[in-house]
CSV table of all heavy atoms in Angstrom, one decimal:
chain,number,residue,atom,x,y,z
A,131,ARG,N,-36.4,62.6,19.4
A,131,ARG,CA,-37.6,63.4,19.7
A,131,ARG,C,-37.4,64.3,20.8
A,131,ARG,O,-37.8,65.5,20.8
A,131,ARG,CB,-38.7,62.4,20.0
A,131,ARG,CG,-39.2,61.6,18.8
A,131,ARG,CD,-40.4,60.7,19.2
A,131,ARG,NE,-40.7,59.8,18.1
A,131,ARG,CZ,-40.2,58.6,17.9
A,131,ARG,NH1,-39.3,58.2,18.8
A,131,ARG,NH2,-40.5,57.8,16.9
A,132,ALA,N,-36.8,63.8,21.9
A,132,ALA,CA,-36.6,64.7,23.1
A,132,ALA,C,-35.7,65.9,22.8
A,132,ALA,O,-36.0,67.0,23.3
A,132,ALA,CB,-36.0,63.9,24.3
A,133,GLU,N,-34.7,65.7,22.0
A,133,GLU,CA,-33.8,66.8,21.6
A,133,GLU,C,-34.6,67.8,20.7
A,133,GLU,O,-34.3,69.0,20.8
A,133,GLU,CB,-32.6,66.2,20.9
A,133,GLU,CG,-31.7,65.4,21.8
A,133,GLU,CD,-30.6,64.6,21.0
A,133,GLU,OE1,-30.8,64.5,19.8
A,133,GLU,OE2,-29.7,64.1,21.6
A,134,SER,N,-35.4,67.3,19.8
A,134,SER,CA,-36.2,68.2,19.0
A,134,SER,C,-37.1,69.1,19.9
A,134,SER,O,-37.2,70.3,19.7
A,134,SER,CB,-37.1,67.4,18.0
A,134,SER,OG,-36.3,66.9,17.0
A,135,VAL,N,-37.7,68.5,20.9
A,135,VAL,CA,-38.6,69.3,21.8
A,135,VAL,C,-37.8,70.3,22.5
A,135,VAL,O,-38.3,71.5,22.6
A,135,VAL,CB,-39.3,68.3,22.8
A,135,VAL,CG1,-40.0,69.1,23.9
A,135,VAL,CG2,-40.4,67.5,22.0
A,136,ALA,N,-36.6,70.0,23.0
A,136,ALA,CA,-35.8,70.9,23.7
A,136,ALA,C,-35.4,72.1,22.8
A,136,ALA,O,-35.4,73.3,23.2
A,136,ALA,CB,-34.5,70.2,24.2
A,137,LYS,N,-35.1,71.8,21.5
A,137,LYS,CA,-34.7,72.9,20.6
A,137,LYS,C,-35.9,73.7,20.1
A,137,LYS,O,-35.8,74.9,19.8
A,137,LYS,CB,-34.0,72.2,19.4
A,137,LYS,CG,-32.6,71.7,19.8
A,137,LYS,CD,-31.8,71.4,18.6
A,137,LYS,CE,-30.4,71.0,19.0
A,137,LYS,NZ,-29.5,70.7,17.8
A,138,ILE,N,-37.1,73.1,20.1
A,138,ILE,CA,-38.3,73.9,19.8
A,138,ILE,C,-38.5,74.9,21.0
A,138,ILE,O,-38.8,76.1,20.8
A,138,ILE,CB,-39.6,73.0,19.7
A,138,ILE,CG1,-39.4,72.2,18.4
A,138,ILE,CG2,-40.8,73.9,19.6
A,138,ILE,CD1,-40.5,71.1,18.2
A,139,ASN,N,-38.4,74.4,22.2
A,139,ASN,CA,-38.5,75.3,23.4
A,139,ASN,C,-37.5,76.4,23.4
A,139,ASN,O,-37.8,77.5,23.8
A,139,ASN,CB,-38.4,74.4,24.7
A,139,ASN,CG,-39.7,73.7,25.0
A,139,ASN,OD1,-40.8,74.2,24.8
A,139,ASN,ND2,-39.5,72.5,25.6
A,140,SER,N,-36.3,76.2,22.9
A,140,SER,CA,-35.3,77.2,22.9
A,140,SER,C,-35.3,78.1,21.7
A,140,SER,O,-34.5,79.0,21.6
A,140,SER,CB,-33.9,76.5,23.1
A,140,SER,OG,-33.6,75.8,21.9
A,141,GLY,N,-36.1,77.7,20.7
A,141,GLY,CA,-36.2,78.6,19.5
A,141,GLY,C,-35.3,78.2,18.4
A,141,GLY,O,-35.3,78.8,17.4
A,142,LEU,N,-34.5,77.1,18.6
A,142,LEU,CA,-33.6,76.6,17.5
A,142,LEU,C,-34.3,75.9,16.4
A,142,LEU,O,-33.8,75.8,15.3
A,142,LEU,CB,-32.5,75.8,18.1
A,142,LEU,CG,-31.6,76.5,19.1
A,142,LEU,CD1,-30.6,75.5,19.7
A,142,LEU,CD2,-30.8,77.6,18.4
A,143,LEU,N,-35.5,75.3,16.7
A,143,LEU,CA,-36.3,74.6,15.7
A,143,LEU,C,-37.7,75.3,15.7
A,143,LEU,O,-38.2,75.7,16.8
A,143,LEU,CB,-36.5,73.1,16.1
A,143,LEU,CG,-35.3,72.2,15.9
A,143,LEU,CD1,-35.7,70.8,16.3
A,143,LEU,CD2,-34.8,72.2,14.5
A,144,ASP,N,-38.3,75.4,14.5
A,144,ASP,CA,-39.7,75.9,14.4
A,144,ASP,C,-40.7,74.8,14.7
A,144,ASP,O,-41.8,75.1,15.2
A,144,ASP,CB,-39.9,76.4,13.0
A,144,ASP,CG,-39.0,77.6,12.7
A,144,ASP,OD1,-39.2,78.6,13.2
A,144,ASP,OD2,-38.1,77.4,11.8
A,145,GLY,N,-40.3,73.5,14.5
A,145,GLY,CA,-41.2,72.4,14.8
A,145,GLY,C,-40.5,71.1,14.5
A,145,GLY,O,-39.3,71.1,14.2
A,146,ALA,N,-41.2,70.0,14.7
A,146,ALA,CA,-40.7,68.7,14.5
A,146,ALA,C,-41.8,67.8,14.0
A,146,ALA,O,-42.9,67.8,14.4
A,146,ALA,CB,-40.0,68.1,15.8
A,147,ILE,N,-41.4,66.9,13.0
A,147,ILE,CA,-42.3,65.9,12.5
A,147,ILE,C,-42.0,64.6,13.2
A,147,ILE,O,-40.8,64.2,13.2
A,147,ILE,CB,-42.2,65.8,11.0
A,147,ILE,CG1,-42.7,67.1,10.3
A,147,ILE,CG2,-43.1,64.6,10.5
A,147,ILE,CD1,-42.5,67.1,8.8
A,148,SER,N,-43.0,63.9,13.8
A,148,SER,CA,-42.7,62.8,14.6
A,148,SER,C,-43.9,61.9,14.7
A,148,SER,O,-45.0,62.3,14.4
A,148,SER,CB,-42.2,63.2,16.0
A,148,SER,OG,-42.0,62.1,16.9
A,149,PHE,N,-43.7,60.6,15.1
A,149,PHE,CA,-44.8,59.7,15.4
A,149,PHE,C,-44.4,59.1,16.8
A,149,PHE,O,-43.3,59.0,17.2
A,149,PHE,CB,-45.1,58.7,14.3
A,149,PHE,CG,-43.9,57.8,14.0
A,149,PHE,CD1,-43.7,56.6,14.7
A,149,PHE,CD2,-43.1,58.1,12.9
A,149,PHE,CE1,-42.7,55.8,14.4
A,149,PHE,CE2,-42.0,57.2,12.6
A,149,PHE,CZ,-41.8,56.1,13.4
A,150,LEU,N,-45.4,58.6,17.4
A,150,LEU,CA,-45.3,58.0,18.8
A,150,LEU,C,-44.6,58.9,19.7
A,150,LEU,O,-43.6,58.6,20.4
A,150,LEU,CB,-44.5,56.7,18.6
A,150,LEU,CG,-45.2,55.5,17.9
A,150,LEU,CD1,-44.2,54.3,17.7
A,150,LEU,CD2,-46.4,55.0,18.7
A,151,SER,N,-45.0,60.2,19.7
A,151,SER,CA,-44.4,61.2,20.6
A,151,SER,C,-45.0,61.2,22.0
A,151,SER,O,-46.2,60.9,22.1
A,151,SER,CB,-44.6,62.6,20.0
A,151,SER,OG,-43.9,62.7,18.8
A,152,ASP,N,-44.2,61.4,23.0
A,152,ASP,CA,-44.8,61.6,24.3
A,152,ASP,C,-45.6,62.9,24.3
A,152,ASP,O,-45.4,63.8,23.4
A,152,ASP,CB,-43.6,61.8,25.3
A,152,ASP,CG,-42.9,60.5,25.6
A,152,ASP,OD1,-43.5,59.5,25.8
A,152,ASP,OD2,-41.6,60.5,25.5
A,153,ARG,N,-46.6,63.0,25.2
A,153,ARG,CA,-47.5,64.1,25.2
A,153,ARG,C,-46.8,65.3,26.0
A,153,ARG,O,-47.1,65.5,27.2
A,153,ARG,CB,-48.8,63.8,25.9
A,153,ARG,CG,-49.6,62.7,25.1
A,153,ARG,CD,-50.1,63.2,23.7
A,153,ARG,NE,-49.2,62.8,22.7
A,153,ARG,CZ,-49.4,63.1,21.4
A,153,ARG,NH1,-50.5,63.8,21.1
A,153,ARG,NH2,-48.6,62.7,20.4
A,154,TYR,N,-45.9,66.0,25.4
A,154,TYR,CA,-45.2,67.1,26.1
A,154,TYR,C,-46.2,68.2,26.3
A,154,TYR,O,-46.8,68.7,25.4
A,154,TYR,CB,-44.1,67.5,25.2
A,154,TYR,CG,-43.0,66.5,25.0
A,154,TYR,CD1,-43.0,65.7,23.8
A,154,TYR,CD2,-42.0,66.3,25.9
A,154,TYR,CE1,-42.0,64.8,23.6
A,154,TYR,CE2,-41.0,65.3,25.7
A,154,TYR,CZ,-41.0,64.6,24.5
A,154,TYR,OH,-40.1,63.6,24.3
A,155,SER,N,-46.3,68.7,27.6
A,155,SER,CA,-47.3,69.7,27.9
A,155,SER,C,-47.1,71.0,27.2
A,155,SER,O,-48.0,71.8,27.0
A,155,SER,CB,-47.4,69.8,29.4
A,155,SER,OG,-46.1,70.3,29.9
A,156,GLU,N,-45.8,71.3,26.9
A,156,GLU,CA,-45.5,72.6,26.3
A,156,GLU,C,-45.6,72.6,24.8
A,156,GLU,O,-45.4,73.6,24.1
A,156,GLU,CB,-44.1,73.0,26.7
A,156,GLU,CG,-43.0,72.2,26.1
A,156,GLU,CD,-42.6,71.0,26.9
A,156,GLU,OE1,-43.5,70.4,27.6
A,156,GLU,OE2,-41.4,70.6,26.9
A,157,MET,N,-46.0,71.4,24.2
A,157,MET,CA,-46.1,71.3,22.8
A,157,MET,C,-47.6,71.3,22.3
A,157,MET,O,-48.5,70.9,23.0
A,157,MET,CB,-45.5,70.0,22.3
A,157,MET,CG,-43.9,69.9,22.4
A,157,MET,SD,-43.1,71.0,21.3
A,157,MET,CE,-42.4,72.2,22.5
A,158,GLU,N,-47.7,71.8,21.1
A,158,GLU,CA,-49.0,71.7,20.4
A,158,GLU,C,-48.9,70.7,19.3
A,158,GLU,O,-47.9,70.7,18.5
A,158,GLU,CB,-49.3,73.1,19.8
A,158,GLU,CG,-50.6,73.3,19.1
A,158,GLU,CD,-50.7,74.8,18.6
A,158,GLU,OE1,-50.8,75.7,19.5
A,158,GLU,OE2,-50.8,75.0,17.4
Side-chain angles (χ1 to χ4, degrees):
R131 292 182 188 88
E133 292 168 348
S134 285
V135 169
K137 289 191 175 182
I138 293 171
N139 279 326
S140 66
L142 295 175
L143 290 179
D144 296 290
I147 296 174
S148 178
F149 60 86
L150 292 172
S151 295
D152 290 311
R153 298 292 97 177
Y154 298 96
S155 60
E156 69 273 30
M157 291 292 110
E158 184 178 296

